[in-house]
Amino acid sequence: MPESTTPAPEPPTEAIAEAAEAALGTDPTPKDQISDEIACVSSLVAILPPEFGISRNTSYTPDLVKILKASARFKPTYEMKRGSIVVYPTEGLNVGHAMICLEDDDGTISNRNTLASNNSFGGIKGMWTRNYNRKSARAYFIANKHLKGFIFEPI
């Protein structure tokens, strides 16, 4: 019997990571219906492949956490792996953030950014860029802003 020439399906983590990498250096939400300063969720859902079922209208970090928790396509995890989604939900006036992990990151990486997201500041405001790694994100959003952190792995 001949071997199958059908390639194995791409793991969901790779589909998300590749979409995030392809968006690097672009503005995923050029119409700016949500201000670039707070467009992390809008940018993230614009990049996600449609098969993950996240509405393109999702724009608030607490809503994204609820959606990911309820989705059969994602599971909560403690590990930042390539293709996982990291969310620090807004609490009150303390604005959170949402990112996609481009590389496995166990917290020992300090010399390069492994997390991509909407850039909220400066000359590249609105662009999808590598902004944080596990250590810097936790330092800023958990230690400094006192937000909770969630990691979701696509399944």
Side-chain angles (χ1 to χ4, degrees), residues 28-143:
T29 57
K31 293 182 182 176
D32 291 337
Q33 294 171 322
I34 304 290
S35 172
D36 283 333
E37 288 85 1
I38 56 170
C40 60
V41 174
S42 299
S43 295
L44 189 147
V45 299
I47 289 165
L48 278 181
E51 64 265 23
F52 290 97
I54 308 297
S55 168
R56 299 287 191 244
N57 295 324
T58 307
S59 62
Y60 188 47
T61 51
D63 292 342
L64 181 60
V65 169
K66 288 178 193 169
I67 290 165
L68 293 171
K69 281 182 175 180
S71 174
R73 299 294 315 261
F74 293 89
K75 68 177 183 179
T77 183
Y78 292 105
E79 298 179 50
M80 282 191 190
K81 293 183 178 179
R82 178 173 165 80
S84 60
I85 295 175
V86 181
V87 186
Y88 298 96
T90 295
E91 292 182 14
L93 297 177
N94 217 356
V95 177
H97 203 55
M99 302 165 262
I100 295 175
C101 193
L102 300 180
E103 302 175 42
D104 293 355
D105 188 342
D106 64 2
T108 61
I109 296 171
S110 60
N111 62 343
R112 69 181 180 282
N113 291 331
T114 58
L115 300 168
S117 64
N118 171 66
N119 194 306
S120 302
F121 306 103
I124 55 174
K125 183 170 64 173
M127 302 301 265
W128 187 257
T129 60
R130 287 177 172 254
N131 293 326
Y132 297 94
N133 59 43
R134 182 184 184 113
K135 190 180 286 185
S136 65
R138 290 177 58 85
Y140 184 69
F141 293 104
I142 294 175

